[in-house]
Amino acid sequence: MTALVNCIDSGSQTFIDYINQAADIIKKGGVVAFPTETVYGLGASAYNGDAVRKIFIAKNRPVDNPLIIHIDDPDKLGECSTAPPPMTWALANAFWPGPLTIIVNKAPEIAPEATGRLNTAAVRCPDNHIARALINAAGVPIAAPSANSSGRPSPTSAAHVLTDLDGKIDMIIDGGECSGGIESTIIDLTAENPVILRPGLITAKQIENVLGRPVAFSKGHTAGEPKAPGLKYPHYAPLAPLTIVDGSPVETAAYINGAAEASGLPDESIGILATDETAGLYRRGVVISAGSSKDPASVARSLYGVLRRFDVLGVAVIYSEAFHGPGLESSIMNRLEKAAGYHIVTLG
Ligand code: TXA
Ligand code: MG
């Protein structure tokens, strides 16, 4: 049985009771899904290898794919890491609590299961009061990947978690919809030069401004062993095949309208992920706007929810517009490209 508890109103009488119940589950070696500002996480005590193993089983996650260790206070970095380099503190001061995950050398107390037996640990202090209250009440760092079944879009609501993990975990804390919508940026500080392993809600530019030096991106999906072990596995996939169409708004709509026509499928079997600005250009299909192209944060917030909505609607194919721009657009595209299995039609 999975208990679903409502903590949306932090002023409610039951809020503290529920947080304490969830913390007890963690202390006793159970697993709890909880909201963060990015996506929902599925947490267990990072000090308890048996508890951490339950996360991998519930998600059907490959055991070599390490988890992110969540702390409730930046000063507790020392509980997860030995001798973090000075750059760590510069980034922690600038971005914690918040959606930045920092790879550092692992402290011996962290269970090897949590880090996929690597000597390094991914650490982050989330900017969500429920997440931090839970970690604080549990009294241990919480190891937590996203609370989806492996390979599925990350969950941005308690309902998404329930769809994937009902009956497989002890509790879900409903904290409403996640404000960020895509996962944290991951930066590796264990090598000589900092490297972004996964783009996310904090941009490379923001990080470069703090460090005063350029940061490189690792090429997660190209040949060779990716630095973040999880990046070699399929990700974020909706049930229907997804194609990204990359062109001007008018060209893109013309291509998708034509493909929809040629498919012979009824409108209700064709999902189209568009924006507020472009939704009116489509003549066929179920058109859902992920947000405004002028506000990429709105698109990030809705992206996984729209992909999961197409699952519920049972569409047979999905088309998505591409996103380009100076801010979060590249992180949005990173997720979309994976969700599409890199199936992209480039126009023009
Ligand atoms: O926003 C987020 O980061 C969310 C919330 C719940 O905090 N968590 C999340 O976790 O996205 P997950 O497990 O879905 O993604 C973690 C990624 C994986 O690609 C994993 O391989 C990588 O972090 N990772 C974890 N530990 C690592 C390490 N020591 N070295 C390199 N990559 C690591
Ligand atoms: Mg994940």
Side-chain angles (χ1 to χ4, degrees):
M1 263 297 286
T2 299
L4 176 65
V5 298
N6 186 333
C7 283
I8 293 175
D9 177 4
S10 57
S12 79
Q13 291 248 309
T14 46
F15 181 87
I16 294 293
D17 290 343
Y18 287 149
I19 295 292
N20 286 333
Q21 277 177 35
D24 275 343
I25 293 172
I26 301 272
K27 286 184 210 166
K28 289 182 182 140
V31 288
V32 173
F34 60 96
T36 82
E37 81 282 31
T38 60
V39 300
Y40 275 71
L42 180 61
S45 166
Y47 292 158
N48 182 338
D50 289 336
V52 168
R53 230 173 284 136
K54 293 179 189 168
I55 294 177
F56 287 87
I57 293 167
K59 278 183 62 97
N60 195 19
R61 181 179 176 102
V63 291
D64 68 345
N65 189 1
L67 310 182
I68 293 176
I69 316 295
H70 296 72
I71 51 179
D72 65 310
D73 181 338
D75 289 339
K76 294 187 182 169
L77 179 62
E79 294 178 8
C80 309
S81 169
T82 50
M87 258 189 291
T88 319
W89 293 111
L91 292 177
N93 284 334
F95 299 114
W96 283 356
L100 182 72
T101 296
I102 308 178
I103 312 281
V104 286
N105 290 316
K106 168 188 171 301
E109 292 79 15
I110 302 291
E113 289 85 351
T115 61
R117 304 193 179 274
L118 296 173
N119 296 326
T120 55
V123 185
R124 122 173 162 90
C125 177
D127 185 15
N128 176 289
H129 66 285
I130 295 173
R132 294 224 304 286
L134 172 65
I135 302 163
N136 188 270
V140 288
I142 291 186
S146 49
N148 50 290
S149 288
S150 249
R152 304 267 302 127
S154 297
T156 53
S157 72
H160 296 163
V161 181
L162 205 60
T163 300
D164 283 16
L165 301 177
D166 192 16
K168 298 181 174 170
I169 60 177
D170 298 304
M171 183 184 267
I172 301 171
I173 305 178
D174 188 350
E177 299 213 352
C178 299
S179 57
I182 60 172
E183 302 83 348
S184 61
T185 303
I186 304 180
I187 186 160
D188 186 357
L189 297 184
T190 62
E192 201 176 320
N193 294 312
V195 181
I196 294 180
L197 304 186
R198 179 177 73 182
L201 288 171
I202 307 265
T203 63
K205 188 99 200 90
Q206 285 174 284
I207 293 173
E208 286 172 345
N209 285 344
V210 170
L211 295 181
R213 59 188 285 181
V215 292
F217 281 92
S218 84
K219 293 273 172 278
H221 57 272
T222 51
E225 185 76 356
K227 201 63 212 305
L231 300 182
K232 66 177 179 275
Y233 295 110
H235 263 85
Y236 318 120
L239 297 175
L242 166 64
T243 302
I244 301 171
V245 182
D246 192 355
S248 72
V250 170
E251 278 177 334
T252 300
Y255 179 92
I256 294 175
N257 283 329
E261 203 64 53
S263 72
L265 289 166
D267 276 355
E268 63 267 25
S269 297
I270 303 166
I272 301 174
L273 187 152
T275 60
D276 296 350
E277 290 79 8
T278 56
L281 298 173
Y282 296 94
R283 296 192 312 271
R284 296 281 315 267
V286 182
V287 183
I288 304 183
S289 169
S292 167
S293 54
K294 298 192 189 85
D295 178 14
S298 69
V299 176
R301 196 177 305 128
S302 306
L303 181 69
Y304 293 139
V306 174
L307 295 180
R308 282 180 176 264
R309 183 78 199 127
F310 286 132
D311 289 350
V312 172
L313 293 171
V315 300
V317 292
I318 306 172
Y319 292 97
S320 174
E321 297 176 4
F323 293 85
H324 298 288
L328 284 181
E329 291 91 346
S330 54
S331 303
I332 292 167
M333 272 303 266
N334 170 273
R335 305 305 193 271
L336 262 180
E337 286 171 359
K338 288 185 185 194
Y342 299 98
H343 189 221
I344 304 167
V345 174
T346 306
L347 305 173

